[in-house]
Amino acid sequence: CKLTVEDCHNYGHLTVSSKTSALGANTNYAGIIGLLYGSTSGTSVKNCSNNGDVVTKMPTTQEHLNAGIVANLQKNAEIIECTNNGKIENPLNVSAKSRIGGIVAISQSLSTGGSFKISSCVNKGDVITRNIQLDKSLGGIVGYVKVNTTISDCANEGDILCLSDIGGAAHVGGITGYSASAVGVQKCTSSGNIKYESITTGTGTAYVAGICALCSSANVSLSENINSSDITVNYTGGAKKAIMTGGIASVMDKTGEIISKCENKGKVTLNYTGTHYVCAGGILSRSVSVTLDNNINHATGAVTINASTSNQLCAAGGIIGDPNGKVVITNNTNYAPVSTINTHASPYAYAGGIFGSDCEGALHASGKGAKSVSGNVNYGSIYAKTQNTAMVNSTYAGASAAGS
C-alpha cells in the first residue's frame, strides 16, 4: 500500500539502555520511524524533522541501526526535505556492527530491484560511535547504502565522529559511510568536522572521507559535490591497520565508478603509527578503476600525512593518493599543499601534486594500464621527508608521479 508520512516533528530525546544480556536481533531506533517498509506504489517521508538526541545503549549480537529520521529503510521509498537536529550516538562497547546516519541508518531492500531516493535533506546533528568492536558505518545522511540509492541536494552540517575505535572496519563519511550498491550522489555538501580516532591494536581498514567513505559497487557516480569538512585521522595503535582518507571519497574499488566536477575545501590530515599502508588524497585516496574528471582541490584542502610505518605505501596526492588500477585522470586541478613525513627507521614517503604513488604500476603500459591521464594541473607546494630517501614530484609531468 502507499504510505505518506508528512510534517511530523519529534522534540523528545530517545535513550535506550539495558542491563540484560544482548538481543539476538537488529535494533532500529530513530526520531521519526524505526523500520519503514516501502512499496512499489510509492512511499514517502516528507518535511519531517527530528530535534531530539537518539542514543542507544542496548546490547545486541546483530546490528545497531540509529538515525534521525528512519533507522531501517526497506523496499522502495523517498525521503524528501527532512532535517535532523539531534545527536545520533552509539557509545556501546559490544561485539556488534553499528550503522548510524543523520537521516537514514541503512537503506536495504527485500525485493528485487528496490531503490531509494533521498533529496533536499539536511543533517545538523553530530553522528558518533564510541568503542565499537566490529564494523561501523557512519554518514551525515546515510550510514550504510545496501541497495540502489540516489542522494541529491543534501547537506551535512554535523560532526561525524568515530572515536575510541576498538576493531573492525570503519566507514566514516560526510554524506555516506559505506556504499555497497550502486549509488548516485549529486550536488551534496558537507561542512561538519569528520574524525576517526583509535589507540588500540585492533585490525580492519578505516575509510574516512568528506562525501562518501567507501564505495564498493560498480557504477557509483559522485558529481558536483562540495566538501568543506576538515578530515582528521589519529591512529596510534601500532598494529596492521590500514587507513584510507580523501576529501571526496576514500576508496572506490569496483569498475565504472566516477567522480566528476567535485570540489574539496577541507584539510585532509592523517596521523599514523602502525605497520600497514596509509594513503590520502584531496579528492580520492585509492581506486581500482575510476574516472576522475574536472575535480578541484582548493588551496584550503591541504593533504598531510604524518606517519611512522615501514609499509611501502605511504602516499599523499593533491587529487588521488594511489591510483592502483585502470584509471582515467583528466582535467583535475590541485591548489593545495601536499606533505608526507614518515619517521620510521625503514620508511617510504611519496607526495605528488596530482597523485602520490603508483605502487601497482597502474600508469605503466606494462602494468595495469591507465586509459588516460591528461590535462591535470598542480599549483600546490609538495613536501616529502624520511630518515632515508624520499620521492617527490611537485607537478604531474606525464608518465608518472612521485612513486612510479
Side-chain angles (χ1 to χ4, degrees):
C1 65
K2 182 177 181 179
L3 172 67
T4 300
V5 180
E6 189 169 1
D7 293 319
C8 294
H9 308 282
N10 173 57
Y11 291 90
H13 298 304
L14 173 60
T15 302
V16 183
S17 62
S18 174
K19 295 182 180 179
T20 62
S21 59
L23 294 173
N26 292 345
T27 58
N28 307 296
Y29 301 113
I32 303 298
I33 303 172
L35 172 60
L36 175 63
Y37 281 92
S39 67
T40 56
S41 60
T43 294
S44 65
V45 180
K46 185 176 181 180
N47 194 31
C48 295
S49 71
N50 173 58
N51 302 283
D53 296 342
V54 179
V55 180
T56 59
K57 302 177 182 179
M58 176 72 76
T60 179
T61 59
Q62 298 298 312
E63 288 187 322
H64 282 281
L65 306 176
N66 295 16
I69 305 300
V70 180
N72 193 339
L73 185 61
Q74 299 195 14
K75 295 190 177 179
N76 300 328
E78 293 187 21
I79 311 296
I80 307 165
E81 297 177 350
C82 292
T83 301
N84 174 59
N85 295 303
K87 176 177 69 174
I88 313 299
E89 183 175 10
N90 183 0
L92 280 175
N93 182 348
V94 294
S95 297
K97 295 179 180 180
S98 183
R99 319 294 190 186
I100 66 174
I103 303 298
V104 174
I106 187 170
S107 63
Q108 58 183 334
S109 179
L110 299 179
S111 59
T112 303
S115 64
F116 301 98
K117 294 181 180 179
I118 301 172
S119 61
S120 302
C121 293
V122 179
N123 174 58
K124 298 183 179 182
D126 295 344
V127 176
I128 308 169
T129 61
R130 304 176 192 269
N131 307 306
I132 305 300
Q133 296 179 22
L134 297 181
D135 295 357
K136 68 287 302 175
S137 305
L138 299 77
I141 302 301
V142 185
Y144 185 12
V145 176
K146 204 169 182 179
V147 296
N148 296 354
T149 303
T150 300
I151 304 171
S152 61
D153 299 294
C154 292
N156 170 60
E157 299 175 11
D159 292 347
I160 313 299
L161 309 173
C162 182
L163 306 175
S164 304
D165 188 31
I166 296 175
H171 319 107
V172 187
I175 301 299
T176 68
Y178 182 18
S179 298
S181 186
V183 61
V185 180
Q186 183 178 21
K187 296 182 179 179
C188 293
T189 63
S190 180
S191 57
N193 293 318
I194 298 174
K195 182 179 288 187
Y196 172 87
E197 291 184 343
S198 177
I199 61 173
T200 70
T201 57
T203 59
T205 301
Y207 307 90
V208 189
I211 300 297
C212 301
L214 173 61
C215 298
S216 188
S217 176
N219 303 316
V220 170
S221 175
L222 312 181
S223 63
E224 299 180 83
N225 302 294
I226 300 175
N227 174 59
S228 300
S229 300
D230 287 338
I231 301 164
T232 305
V233 174
N234 296 314
Y235 177 75
T236 57
K240 191 175 177 62
K241 186 178 188 73
I243 308 288
M244 305 280 105
T245 182
I248 300 300
S250 66
V251 170
M252 303 181 83
D253 63 4
K254 295 294 186 293
T255 60
E257 296 178 314
I258 300 172
I259 303 179
S260 65
K261 298 180 181 178
C262 290
E263 301 178 36
N264 177 55
K265 300 180 179 179
K267 293 190 291 289
V268 179
T269 305
L270 198 169
N271 303 307
Y272 181 87
T273 301
T275 60
H276 216 317
Y277 53 77
V278 290
C279 199
I283 300 298
L284 176 64
S285 173
R286 207 174 193 213
S287 73
V288 170
S289 177
V290 69
T291 295
L292 293 168
D293 183 59
N294 275 292
N295 300 290
I296 299 173
N297 187 36
H298 289 272
T300 53
V303 182
T304 305
I305 294 178
N306 297 300
S308 175
T309 179
S310 60
N311 195 279
Q312 67 175 352
L313 179 56
C314 180
I319 300 300
I320 180 171
D322 180 48
N324 188 39
K326 294 183 178 180
V327 292
V328 175
I329 307 175
T330 54
N331 305 314
N332 301 283
T333 305
N334 175 57
Y335 294 95
V338 179
S339 172
T340 303
I341 299 173
N342 191 349
T343 60
H344 195 276
S346 301
Y348 295 82
Y350 305 120
I354 302 302
F355 61 91
S357 81
D358 180 22
C359 288
E360 300 286 341
L363 305 181
H364 289 248
S366 59
K368 295 183 177 180
K371 294 180 180 178
S372 176
V373 181
S374 63
N376 303 290
V377 181
N378 172 62
Y379 294 98
S381 62
I382 310 300
Y383 180 76
K385 181 181 179 181
T386 70
Q387 294 186 15
N388 296 320
T389 301
M391 296 185 180
V392 186
N393 181 29
S394 59
T395 59
Y396 175 71
S400 63
S404 296

